Amino acid sequence: EIALDRLVPILGTDGLPVAARRLGDWSDSEGLAIAPDGTAWVSFERYAHVWRYDVPGGPATGIRDHPTFYEYDENRQLEALAVAPDGTLYTFPEQPLDAGFPIYRLDEATWVIDGYLPRRDGFAIVGADFDSNGDLYLLERKLSLLLWWQSRIRRVRLDGSEDRTIWTSQRGDFYNLEGIALWRDEQGLRITMVSDSNSSAREITQFVEFRLTE
């Protein structure tokens, strides 16, 4: 059972709701990561950037962009955010560069690229979360010619010791899954995903959950 606790607006650095901006360039929020101290981070597309929120519903604090943030196509920028167990923030774009998907790491107030993840089978990164042991789980998706969504989960270790797909859906099994969260209960690791309805009457917001048994 899912219960909504409250709704808070996503504000800009000027304290105004980002969705109220006339051109909409700042309004396409995509990734959300919450640090152990409660700090929230949000990544954006169209104007690719990441903002920090110290208080829910409060104004944003800007983070200096990496120069490559401007090299992506429209609507293909920063899709995923994840906080590692040591508190380090990472972000990933939906579109790879020539070398692959950059692993952007926030080093104090500056983004650095720690390496690249190879693109495989035409899938794009749309969500990310860390397990408590440091394994990174990437939610990936692609759209077929028949407008069917296909999703998969890829587990990687940033030291390069593992990079493998642990689950792939059939085309059309689910809607546009874009969010992923890892959490544990008394029976082990759970993976919860959520879909974007794309403001379409033909799609719904879905929650899809798996228990990892390996």
Side-chain angles (χ1 to χ4, degrees), residues 1 3 41 62 116 160 188 194:
E1 181 177 336
W41 303 86
Y116 296 86
V194 64

Side-chain angles (χ1 to χ4, degrees), residues 70-98:
Y70 311 107
E71 297 182 14
Y72 302 102
D73 293 337
E74 176 77 5
N75 203 33
R76 300 291 306 280
Q77 295 107 339
L78 303 178
E79 279 273 340
L81 276 174
V83 176
D86 65 0
T88 303
L89 181 69
Y90 293 85
T91 189
F92 303 89
E94 180 179 355
Q95 177 183 354
L97 298 176
D98 290 341

Side-chain angles (χ1 to χ4, degrees), residues 1 7 65 90 106 116 119 128 142 153 199 202:
E1 181 177 336
L7 289 172
D65 299 334
Y90 293 85
L106 187 61
Y116 296 86
R119 182 177 183 177
K142 69 177 177 180
I153 298 173
S199 300
R202 296 178 299 172

